[in-house]
């Protein structure tokens, strides 16, 4: 890994900390970000000194979603001139599937790598942010983190799909059919994340867990991770990931994505998001137990 632009890489003891470092963009992910994340994960998996990985975001958010403004095609970061006509676009279904599966596979390397990965989630963890976090072996969130896939309202379906495995079919449908979000505390109650903590305690809680996991022999840790992952594969995980990426491309054929991007071109991303979300009003799902207990912190 050579001088990444979009993230930080640091080893503390036996734990590698990979930090999305675009706080000015709320750590929104572009194609370049995902490629650098993939490189950082390979580096951590290869380093003998690293036993465990923590994935986190600088600033207020873990990841607010995809960076629509920078595009997602090869070379769209502007670092070298190129002719878009020489590359696959997204107008043809097969080309869209190619792009979608390419991005999906970059994120799936989190699941497939040998070493355990903890996602530390604060602030917004939305859309592609959830694709990244849910591929991690454990997700620890701040009580007030916002977790969900609002992009399901207009842009497609999650290209990586762990929702079903983490929280069951009814809640997976409840959140994806509306694009609503959960606070970290409620996400923990439903199993979408493993545990939540008050924001001021999140860093310490994740560090304690990572250091404890890192006491283990890397070969044993890899064996334990692989056995559990194989169980998910026997439940159809591999097939579902392939289908999810292709189904996302299919969803792009709907009228809503075309209308959304027409509005982006005409009036900008902010206006398009505001108009998309306005009919939904308040979009945070609060569990009944929390609603009935006014003393429950949210």
């Amino acid at each position: 890994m050579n001088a990444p632009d979009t993230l930080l890489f640091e080893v503390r003891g036996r734990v590698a900390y990979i930090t999305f470092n675009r706080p000015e963009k709320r750590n929104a992910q572009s194609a370049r970000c995902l490629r650098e994340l993939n490189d950082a994960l390979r580096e951590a998996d290869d380093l003998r000194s690293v036993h465990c990985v923590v994935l986190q975001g600088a600033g207020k958010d873990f990841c607010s979603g995809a960076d629509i403004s920078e595009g997602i095609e090869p070379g769209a970061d502007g670092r070298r001139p190129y002719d878009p006509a020489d590359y696959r676009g997204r107008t043809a279904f097969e080309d869209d599937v190619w792009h979608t599966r390419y991005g999906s596979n970059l994120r799936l390397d989190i699941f497939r790598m040998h070493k355990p990965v903890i996602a530390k989630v604060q602030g917004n963890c939305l859309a592609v942010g959830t694709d990244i976090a849910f591929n991690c072996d454990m997700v620890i969130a701040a009580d007030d983190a916002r977790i969900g896939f609002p992009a399901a309202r207009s842009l497609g379906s999650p290209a990586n799909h762990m929702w079903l495995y983490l929280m069951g079919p009814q809640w997976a449908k409840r959140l994806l059919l509306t694009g609503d979000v959960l606070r970290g505390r409620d996400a923990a109650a439903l199993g979408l994340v493993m545990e939540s903590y008050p924001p001021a305690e999140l860093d310490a809680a994740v560090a304690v867990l990572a250091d404890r996991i890192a006491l283990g022999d890397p070969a044993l840790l890899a064996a334990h991770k692989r056995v559990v992952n194989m169980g998910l594969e026997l439940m159809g995980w591999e097939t579902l990931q392939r289908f999810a990426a292709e189904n996302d491309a299919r969803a792009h054929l709907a009228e809503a994505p075309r209308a959304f991007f027409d509005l982006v071109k005409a009036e900008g991303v902010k206006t398009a998001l505001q108009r998309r979300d306005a009919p939904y009003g308040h979009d945070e799902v609060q569990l009944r137990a929390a609603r009935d207990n006014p003393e429950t912190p949210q």
Side-chain angles (χ1 to χ4, degrees), residues 150-156 250-264 272 276 280:
R153 298 170 180 168
S154 63
L155 296 177
R250 175 178 174 271
H252 295 163
L253 300 175
E255 176 60 29
R258 291 194 294 271
F260 179 86
F261 282 110
D262 285 345
L263 188 56
V264 168
R276 180 195 72 186
Y280 291 88

Side-chain angles (χ1 to χ4, degrees), residues 134-200:
F134 297 162
N135 271 306
C136 295
D137 301 294
M138 286 157 275
V139 184
I140 310 296
D143 287 342
D144 61 355
R146 298 179 74 251
I147 302 168
F149 210 96
R153 298 170 180 168
S154 63
L155 296 177
S157 187
N160 297 117
H161 193 99
M162 285 294 292
W163 299 77
L164 173 63
Y165 297 108
L166 294 173
M167 63 191 319
Q170 293 189 82
W171 270 106
K173 291 176 183 178
R174 165 67 180 86
L175 293 178
L176 295 178
L177 291 172
T178 62
D180 289 342
V181 301
L182 290 167
R183 289 291 182 174
R185 179 182 290 272
D186 287 339
L190 293 171
L192 193 58
V193 307
M194 189 174 77
E195 200 164 4
S196 76
Y197 289 89

Side-chain angles (χ1 to χ4, degrees), residues 92-128:
F93 175 75
E94 184 61 29
D95 289 343
D96 197 5
V97 169
W98 186 90
H99 275 293
T100 305
R101 290 195 65 184
Y102 172 75
S104 170
N105 282 327
L106 289 178
R107 296 183 291 271
L108 291 179
D109 272 357
I110 304 171
F111 180 92
R112 291 169 174 149
M113 65 187 284
H114 290 217
K115 294 174 182 174
V117 184
I118 302 169
K120 185 181 78 178
V121 171
Q122 86 285 3
N124 287 302
C125 178
L126 304 176
V128 73

